Amino acid sequence: MVASVVINQYAPTARINLAALRHNFNQVRLHAPASRVYSVIKANAYGHDLETVAAVLAANKTDGFAVARLDEALRLRHAGIAQPILVLEGANDGEDVTVAYQHHLTLVVHQTEQFDLIEHSTTPSHYAPLNVWLKVDTGMHRLGLATAQVPELLDRLNRHRDRACLCGLLTHLANADDPDDPLTARQCADLTALSVNAARDLSHPLPLCIGNSAGILRHPAARTNWVRPGIMLYGGSPLLNETAAQWQLQPVMTLTARLIARHELKRGDAVGYGGEFHCPEDMPVGVVAIGYGDGYPRHAPTGTPVLINNQRVQLIGRVSMDMITIDLRQQPNAKIGDSVVLWGAGLPVEEVAGWVGSSNYELLTRLAPRVQLNYDSSSAVNN
Ligand SMILES: Cc1ncc(COP(=O)(O)O)c(C=O)c1O
């Protein structure tokens, strides 16, 4: 028997404002007008749906896409995306290299073993050389070649031009979210110096790829030949203590759910698992159909804001798998079926993340598959 799909009006919904996505992409162009842009759409486009976001940004003429893993790149090729696709973690084995040749993917090479795979691959004779970026560790100490390894790899690349074509040097900024941290300037300077040194042998400077969102907004030296914005595309602030609105970024995702019950509780009544919240007086309490099973953070404490009918009220008691409870004293007329905003338009995801001790990145990417995504191309853009 084939199960029929039921649209549940009461299921949590993430409204995805595609006009805001286009607006934010244009903000990238505004801040880095001379850079080419790899739009970072890993982790299901930070929870916004890989294929949909790719289609919108391809139409907006992004120069390429960046994903973490090969399977994400293949999803894009299968969806008909023809732009360059940069695989940030690169190849893990010979099979990955073959797939990269077949689908004309661009690989990061962050360790010499990855270039060994390319050098020993049996695939290349049928295909164009693989585009590769050498990733250099300039201070993040996660992925990347040591500076001293770069000349040898450049030499190997030069000897195997039939197999691989060098795009340039790439690095990732560790602390760019803090505009006062001196590491960012050092990282940019170190990669630039490497490119200048390489230029002496190659007779041309190597293109650089540095800026993430924070780098693009706050660090001119990170606005290199290519940049890699992620969170700012989705309207999230990449900067500590600075809001997205300050940078004219618009939230793309607004997570909503419905009020499914309301009660008049008595002073002293305990609410939810563990009875952590006791009503300080007789009060109306609402139940909203969203919980940690939908990706709403389990650790959101009493006091975390939500919007009901565009007004702020507070979450009370423990978050359950499918429900949260909210204090309706400020909204005594709220009724079953009313829409509740958990984050997005009117309630920045950063603010919720602050209550939870998490980040906008984590909240957006942890949305569960049972949350319905609803796309709206035409919605007015507001903060
Ligand atoms: C290597 C790399 N480049 C770029 C980005 C995009 O960063 P952001 O979302 O802060 O713009 C990420 C995100 O994690 C990344 O890992």
Side-chain angles (χ1 to χ4, degrees), residues 59-287:
N60 249 45
K61 303 216 177 332
T62 186
D63 301 286
F65 293 100
V67 292
R69 302 181 186 150
L70 213 70
D71 55 312
E72 296 173 308
L74 288 184
R75 269 177 67 183
L76 290 173
R77 284 287 184 251
H78 288 142
I81 293 296
Q83 273 91 347
I85 301 173
L86 173 63
V87 183
L88 293 166
E89 290 178 9
N92 294 307
D93 56 28
E95 181 62 25
D96 285 358
V97 171
T98 300
V99 169
Y101 274 113
Q102 288 169 339
H103 295 274
H104 198 49
L105 304 177
T106 302
L107 293 183
V108 159
V109 169
H110 60 76
Q111 55 194 353
T112 51
E113 289 81 354
Q114 290 184 313
F115 197 74
D116 297 344
L117 293 173
I118 295 170
E119 201 176 307
H120 300 129
S121 172
T122 51
T123 316
S125 53
H126 312 296
Y127 296 98
L130 260 187
N131 289 325
V132 302
W133 284 90
L134 291 188
K135 180 166 187 172
V136 184
D137 176 18
T138 55
M140 176 91 160
H141 300 139
R142 192 177 61 179
L143 294 181
L145 299 156
T147 304
Q149 293 177 297
V150 172
E152 185 210 322
L153 265 192
L154 288 176
D155 183 52
R156 286 176 72 186
L157 270 154
N158 196 34
R159 281 187 278 119
H160 294 286
R161 275 176 296 183
D162 55 328
R163 290 172 173 264
C165 172
L166 180 62
C167 298
L169 302 178
L170 176 153
T171 201
H172 194 39
L173 300 173
N175 301 347
D177 57 343
D178 178 359
D180 298 325
D181 194 307
L183 179 63
T184 305
R186 272 209 308 278
Q187 288 190 270
C188 294
D190 287 354
L191 200 72
T192 306
L194 264 181
S195 156
V196 169
N197 285 341
R200 288 196 199 106
D201 301 331
L202 299 170
S203 74
H204 59 87
L206 283 175
L208 299 180
C209 179
I210 302 183
N212 55 1
S213 298
I216 290 165
L217 294 180
R218 275 303 211 137
H219 303 277
R223 296 173 198 142
T224 41
N225 307 78
W226 284 81
V227 290
R228 305 185 309 277
I231 193 78
M232 71 180 286
L233 293 173
Y234 310 101
S237 171
L239 295 156
L240 297 175
N241 308 320
E242 293 182 32
T243 65
Q246 266 172 271
W247 290 95
Q248 279 77 50
L249 298 171
Q250 315 284 350
V252 176
M253 178 194 294
T254 296
L255 180 61
T256 65
R258 302 277 189 158
L259 196 72
I260 57 165
R262 50 165 298 155
H263 310 287
E264 303 298 327
L265 296 188
K266 294 283 177 226
R267 180 166 181 260
D269 280 349
V271 178
Y273 284 119
E276 283 173 9
F277 180 87
H278 290 88
C279 296
E281 57 184 329
D282 293 358
M283 60 185 275
V285 168
V287 181

Side-chain angles (χ1 to χ4, degrees), residues 248-331:
Q248 279 77 50
L249 298 171
Q250 315 284 350
V252 176
M253 178 194 294
T254 296
L255 180 61
T256 65
R258 302 277 189 158
L259 196 72
I260 57 165
R262 50 165 298 155
H263 310 287
E264 303 298 327
L265 296 188
K266 294 283 177 226
R267 180 166 181 260
D269 280 349
V271 178
Y273 284 119
E276 283 173 9
F277 180 87
H278 290 88
C279 296
E281 57 184 329
D282 293 358
M283 60 185 275
V285 168
V287 181
V288 183
I290 191 163
Y292 63 79
D294 302 295
Y296 189 79
R298 160 89 170 67
H299 297 291
T302 290
T304 304
V306 304
L307 303 180
I308 185 158
N309 299 324
N310 296 320
Q311 301 299 317
R312 278 174 185 246
V313 299
Q314 296 185 343
L315 179 147
I316 53 176
R318 229 185 255 174
V319 173
S320 315
M321 187 184 293
D322 316 301
M323 285 169 271
I324 59 171
T325 36
I326 60 175
D327 177 349
L328 287 179
R329 280 176 293 178
Q330 303 301 317
Q331 282 295 303

